[in-house]
Amino acid sequence: MFEYDFMINAFAASGMVAVVAGIVGFFLVLRQQSFAGHALSHVGFTGATGAALFGIAPLWGLLGFTLAAGMAMGALGEKLSGRDVAIGMILSLSLGFGLLFLHFFTAYATQVSALLFGNVLGVSTSMLSILAILSFFCLAALALIMRPLIFATLQPELAQAKGLSLRLVSVLFLALVALAVVACTQIVGVLLVFTLMVGPAAAAQNLTTRLGMGIAVSALFALLQSWAGITLAYYTDWPTSFWITALSALVYGLSLVSKWRN
């Protein structure tokens, strides 16, 4: 299996992205903002197809739109809570515009379709370098804001009383989520980002209440699910994204059983 360069690239890319997704996703679930990853991926799809319409590589449109949307959502803060219908309509509209842009410009159709469902087996060496930079930046930035992020997440009233800007923390964190979404899209696609960012994190939080252990377990679950998904796809010729999604659902289901038994 490892005699092929594309398989080596796939394991390297999914490994880096999975660790980032597992760690960032843990805080996403802990802060009860799971919808954010799903929302940002839909907005990013519009950016990718819009960029293709103007002859720009879809990745840069995805990155620009997702990052801008993440920072905007962070700035809205609590005002975004309780607006599920409005958010759902915006997500549907974003996806609709993405399909419209793709209708008018089909030269990038293959690339944009890969953004929908992912194509980890098609990760090139140049894309691997981009993912490495994104992953490193995400983890480094998360390490810098880790303490205020934990404080703002677990004790928001006290953090605000101590002078910590909850809005600033939210903006910075959702900007990191946006970058993680961009990286995840290359592995499982826009429509399945939720499964890599939220599934492992939710399963980890079902199994442990310890913060450090939870982060480690979330990253480990995401990593194992990604690598196992690629391995199963290689031997069955079924889509990689399907296997990653199925494994994520299986692990989450088992974590629920374990939680109920305890």
Side-chain angles (χ1 to χ4, degrees):
M1 181 167 61
F2 291 105
E3 62 189 63
Y4 302 106
D5 289 339
F6 74 89
M7 290 299 295
I8 296 175
N9 287 347
F11 271 88
S14 63
M16 291 185 295
V17 171
V19 170
V20 171
I23 296 175
V24 173
F26 182 87
F27 287 100
L28 197 64
V29 175
L30 190 64
R31 290 172 61 84
Q32 298 182 347
Q33 292 180 316
S34 300
F35 74 92
H38 186 62
L40 290 174
S41 65
H42 280 64
V43 173
F45 176 69
T46 304
T49 52
L53 185 62
F54 291 100
I56 303 172
L59 176 64
W60 303 117
L62 173 70
L63 180 61
F65 265 62
T66 306
L67 188 58
M71 295 178 70
M73 290 172 62
L76 287 174
E78 293 300 319
K79 294 180 180 179
L80 207 63
S81 301
R83 299 186 178 180
D84 295 342
V85 175
I87 294 170
M89 289 302 300
I90 292 173
L91 299 189
S92 300
L93 184 62
S94 297
L95 191 58
F97 268 109
L99 294 174
L100 178 65
F101 294 155
L102 184 58
H103 170 76
F104 284 118
F105 195 82
T106 58
Y108 280 93
T110 302
Q111 294 182 44
V112 176
S113 296
L115 288 174
L116 277 174
F117 300 103
N119 185 21
V120 66
L121 298 181
V123 172
S124 62
T125 302
S126 59
M127 178 57 70
L128 189 62
S129 300
I130 293 173
L131 291 177
I133 294 171
L134 278 176
S135 299
F136 174 79
F137 181 82
C138 280
L139 293 179
L142 186 60
L144 289 176
I145 68 169
M146 181 73 76
R147 292 186 66 183
L149 178 62
I150 293 173
F151 194 17
T153 300
L154 299 180
Q155 296 181 310
E157 294 83 4
L158 181 58
Q160 192 168 30
K162 292 286 188 179
L164 181 63
S165 173
L166 299 184
R167 189 182 301 274
L168 178 60
V169 170
S170 181
V171 169
L172 293 176
F173 175 66
L174 285 178
L176 290 180
V177 172
L179 296 180
V181 165
V182 172
C184 287
T185 298
Q186 310 305 313
I187 308 302
V188 293
V190 163
L191 299 180
L192 299 175
V193 163
F194 192 91
T195 195
L196 195 57
M197 289 195 68
V198 176
Q205 290 182 31
N206 283 335
L207 296 176
T208 180
T209 57
R210 296 170 57 188
L211 186 65
M213 179 64 72
I215 294 172
V217 171
S218 178
L220 181 62
F221 279 167
L223 180 64
L224 293 178
Q225 288 164 21
S226 296
W227 282 355
I230 294 173
T231 302
L232 290 169
Y234 178 81
Y235 287 109
T236 63
D237 201 30
W238 291 10
T240 306
S241 296
F242 160 75
W243 281 117
I244 294 175
T245 304
L247 290 171
S248 180
L250 176 62
V251 170
Y252 178 70
L254 292 175
S255 73
L256 283 178
V257 173
S258 177
K259 181 179 180 180
W260 291 335
R261 291 184 63 182
N262 295 330

